[in-house]
């Protein structure tokens, strides 16, 4: 696997997948990543068509997935241990396993991760023709942002002034409570 920096991203390129993997560039993170050997593994799934690629390293005999490696870099080893003790996992908010940007990762309970994958992630794909919905987390503020971009004409109804206003996109901010954001 080729690993390199382009602009403000660290990119991971492999002939095993058509897409590039990526995370945010940070000099300290880059210095750690470039010293390791990275590869692609595919998730275990009963339905072989739905296997997802994950970037991982088995450097020094300790296998680690890139998304967990990135979270540990930004949050620290102690937060990773606390999350594991509470049965939390690192979730890819966009459901794109190769997007390991810190804004796309968050700790959520394992059970919520499973239900998100079995419901929300599927329904989000089904409505893409009408609107695109994405969730991001701002590492600095710890706020979640829901972004909705409408592909079909949409309106905001101003009940106070009895007006219908056309809208193309909508942004919502939420505190660091993922269950509420997902609901």
């Amino acid at each position: 696997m080729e690993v390199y920096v382009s602009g403000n991203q660290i990119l991971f390129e492999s002939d095993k997948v058509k897409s590039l993997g990526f995370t945010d560039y940070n000099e300290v993170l880059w210095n750690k990543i470039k010293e390791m050997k990275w590869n692609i593994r595919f998730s275990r799934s009963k339905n072989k068509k739905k296997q997802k690629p994950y970037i991982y390293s088995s450097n020094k005999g300790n296998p680690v997935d890139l998304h967990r490696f990135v979270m540990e870099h930004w949050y620290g080893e102690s937060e990773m241990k606390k999350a594991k003790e509470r049965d939390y996992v690192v979730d890819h908010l966009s459901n794109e396993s190769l997007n390991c940007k810190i804004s796309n990762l968050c700790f959520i309970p394992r059970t919520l991760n499973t239900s998100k994958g079995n419901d929300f992630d599927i329904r989000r794909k089904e409505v893409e023709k009408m609107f695109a919905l994405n969730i991001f987390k701002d590492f600095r503020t710890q706020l979640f942002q829901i972004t909705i971009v409408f592909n079909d004409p949409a309106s905001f109804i101003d009940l106070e002034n009895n007006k219908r206003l056309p809208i193309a996109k909508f942004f919502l901010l939420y505190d660091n409570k993922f269950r509420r954001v997902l609901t």
Side-chain angles (χ1 to χ4, degrees), residues 148-159:
I148 305 169
V149 178
F150 298 94
N151 298 318
D152 285 341
S155 305
F156 173 78
I157 300 174
D158 179 353
L159 295 175

PDB file of all heavy atoms in Angstrom, residues 148-159:
ATOM      1  N   ILE A 148     -28.006  18.642   5.365  1.00  0.00           N
ATOM      2  CA  ILE A 148     -28.994  18.097   4.429  1.00  0.00           C
ATOM      3  C   ILE A 148     -28.933  18.945   3.159  1.00  0.00           C
ATOM      4  O   ILE A 148     -29.103  20.165   3.225  1.00  0.00           O
ATOM      5  CB  ILE A 148     -30.427  18.133   5.008  1.00  0.00           C
ATOM      6  CG1 ILE A 148     -30.479  17.407   6.359  1.00  0.00           C
ATOM      7  CG2 ILE A 148     -31.425  17.535   4.017  1.00  0.00           C
ATOM      8  CD1 ILE A 148     -31.775  17.621   7.113  1.00  0.00           C
ATOM      9  N   VAL A 149     -28.648  18.311   2.032  1.00  0.00           N
ATOM     10  CA  VAL A 149     -28.626  18.996   0.741  1.00  0.00           C
ATOM     11  C   VAL A 149     -29.745  18.394  -0.097  1.00  0.00           C
ATOM     12  O   VAL A 149     -29.795  17.179  -0.298  1.00  0.00           O
ATOM     13  CB  VAL A 149     -27.259  18.833   0.038  1.00  0.00           C
ATOM     14  CG1 VAL A 149     -27.276  19.510  -1.325  1.00  0.00           C
ATOM     15  CG2 VAL A 149     -26.142  19.381   0.909  1.00  0.00           C
ATOM     16  N   PHE A 150     -30.644  19.242  -0.556  1.00  0.00           N
ATOM     17  CA  PHE A 150     -31.822  18.775  -1.282  1.00  0.00           C
ATOM     18  C   PHE A 150     -31.533  18.652  -2.766  1.00  0.00           C
ATOM     19  O   PHE A 150     -31.038  19.575  -3.394  1.00  0.00           O
ATOM     20  CB  PHE A 150     -32.988  19.744  -1.044  1.00  0.00           C
ATOM     21  CG  PHE A 150     -33.391  19.816   0.401  1.00  0.00           C
ATOM     22  CD1 PHE A 150     -32.872  20.797   1.234  1.00  0.00           C
ATOM     23  CD2 PHE A 150     -34.264  18.887   0.928  1.00  0.00           C
ATOM     24  CE1 PHE A 150     -33.220  20.855   2.576  1.00  0.00           C
ATOM     25  CE2 PHE A 150     -34.616  18.923   2.271  1.00  0.00           C
ATOM     26  CZ  PHE A 150     -34.098  19.914   3.093  1.00  0.00           C
ATOM     27  N   ASN A 151     -31.840  17.494  -3.335  1.00  0.00           N
ATOM     28  CA  ASN A 151     -31.675  17.250  -4.767  1.00  0.00           C
ATOM     29  C   ASN A 151     -32.966  17.545  -5.522  1.00  0.00           C
ATOM     30  O   ASN A 151     -32.951  17.767  -6.726  1.00  0.00           O
ATOM     31  CB  ASN A 151     -31.232  15.813  -5.012  1.00  0.00           C
ATOM     32  CG  ASN A 151     -29.888  15.543  -4.371  1.00  0.00           C
ATOM     33  OD1 ASN A 151     -28.987  16.371  -4.435  1.00  0.00           O
ATOM     34  ND2 ASN A 151     -29.741  14.401  -3.734  1.00  0.00           N
ATOM     35  N   ASP A 152     -34.085  17.519  -4.837  1.00  0.00           N
ATOM     36  CA  ASP A 152     -35.381  17.908  -5.385  1.00  0.00           C
ATOM     37  C   ASP A 152     -35.749  19.252  -4.780  1.00  0.00           C
ATOM     38  O   ASP A 152     -35.264  19.589  -3.695  1.00  0.00           O
ATOM     39  CB  ASP A 152     -36.467  16.887  -4.999  1.00  0.00           C
ATOM     40  CG  ASP A 152     -36.375  15.590  -5.782  1.00  0.00           C
ATOM     41  OD1 ASP A 152     -35.726  15.588  -6.848  1.00  0.00           O
ATOM     42  OD2 ASP A 152     -36.966  14.591  -5.345  1.00  0.00           O
ATOM     43  N   PRO A 153     -36.609  20.029  -5.437  1.00  0.00           N
ATOM     44  CA  PRO A 153     -37.027  21.310  -4.857  1.00  0.00           C
ATOM     45  C   PRO A 153     -37.596  21.104  -3.453  1.00  0.00           C
ATOM     46  O   PRO A 153     -38.385  20.191  -3.209  1.00  0.00           O
ATOM     47  CB  PRO A 153     -38.102  21.802  -5.821  1.00  0.00           C
ATOM     48  CG  PRO A 153     -37.799  21.109  -7.117  1.00  0.00           C
ATOM     49  CD  PRO A 153     -37.228  19.766  -6.720  1.00  0.00           C
ATOM     50  N   ALA A 154     -37.182  21.968  -2.533  1.00  0.00           N
ATOM     51  CA  ALA A 154     -37.648  21.893  -1.144  1.00  0.00           C
ATOM     52  C   ALA A 154     -37.914  23.296  -0.632  1.00  0.00           C
ATOM     53  O   ALA A 154     -37.373  24.279  -1.154  1.00  0.00           O
ATOM     54  CB  ALA A 154     -36.593  21.206  -0.282  1.00  0.00           C
ATOM     55  N   SER A 155     -38.759  23.380   0.392  1.00  0.00           N
ATOM     56  CA  SER A 155     -39.131  24.681   0.947  1.00  0.00           C
ATOM     57  C   SER A 155     -39.086  24.656   2.458  1.00  0.00           C
ATOM     58  O   SER A 155     -39.294  23.616   3.086  1.00  0.00           O
ATOM     59  CB  SER A 155     -40.561  25.062   0.547  1.00  0.00           C
ATOM     60  OG  SER A 155     -40.729  25.036  -0.825  1.00  0.00           O
ATOM     61  N   PHE A 156     -38.819  25.828   3.001  1.00  0.00           N
ATOM     62  CA  PHE A 156     -38.943  26.060   4.439  1.00  0.00           C
ATOM     63  C   PHE A 156     -40.187  26.918   4.601  1.00  0.00           C
ATOM     64  O   PHE A 156     -40.342  27.941   3.932  1.00  0.00           O
ATOM     65  CB  PHE A 156     -37.710  26.799   4.972  1.00  0.00           C
ATOM     66  CG  PHE A 156     -37.835  27.216   6.404  1.00  0.00           C
ATOM     67  CD1 PHE A 156     -37.654  26.298   7.423  1.00  0.00           C
ATOM     68  CD2 PHE A 156     -38.155  28.525   6.728  1.00  0.00           C
ATOM     69  CE1 PHE A 156     -37.777  26.671   8.745  1.00  0.00           C
ATOM     70  CE2 PHE A 156     -38.282  28.909   8.052  1.00  0.00           C
ATOM     71  CZ  PHE A 156     -38.088  27.986   9.052  1.00  0.00           C
ATOM     72  N   ILE A 157     -41.090  26.518   5.462  1.00  0.00           N
ATOM     73  CA  ILE A 157     -42.320  27.280   5.640  1.00  0.00           C
ATOM     74  C   ILE A 157     -42.175  28.152   6.872  1.00  0.00           C
ATOM     75  O   ILE A 157     -42.012  27.657   7.989  1.00  0.00           O
ATOM     76  CB  ILE A 157     -43.550  26.350   5.742  1.00  0.00           C
ATOM     77  CG1 ILE A 157     -43.666  25.532   4.457  1.00  0.00           C
ATOM     78  CG2 ILE A 157     -44.808  27.159   6.010  1.00  0.00           C
ATOM     79  CD1 ILE A 157     -44.741  24.484   4.479  1.00  0.00           C
ATOM     80  N   ASP A 158     -42.219  29.447   6.654  1.00  0.00           N
ATOM     81  CA  ASP A 158     -42.166  30.440   7.723  1.00  0.00           C
ATOM     82  C   ASP A 158     -43.599  30.686   8.179  1.00  0.00           C
ATOM     83  O   ASP A 158     -44.337  31.463   7.561  1.00  0.00           O
ATOM     84  CB  ASP A 158     -41.507  31.719   7.190  1.00  0.00           C
ATOM     85  CG  ASP A 158     -41.427  32.826   8.222  1.00  0.00           C
ATOM     86  OD1 ASP A 158     -42.001  32.672   9.317  1.00  0.00           O
ATOM     87  OD2 ASP A 158     -40.785  33.853   7.926  1.00  0.00           O
ATOM     88  N   LEU A 159     -44.007  30.003   9.242  1.00  0.00           N
ATOM     89  CA  LEU A 159     -45.391  30.091   9.708  1.00  0.00           C
ATOM     90  C   LEU A 159     -45.719  31.486  10.254  1.00  0.00           C
ATOM     91  O   LEU A 159     -46.841  31.953  10.131  1.00  0.00           O
ATOM     92  CB  LEU A 159     -45.656  29.032  10.781  1.00  0.00           C
ATOM     93  CG  LEU A 159     -45.571  27.584  10.302  1.00  0.00           C
ATOM     94  CD1 LEU A 159     -45.731  26.622  11.464  1.00  0.00           C
ATOM     95  CD2 LEU A 159     -46.608  27.320   9.235  1.00  0.00           C
TER      96      LEU A 159
END
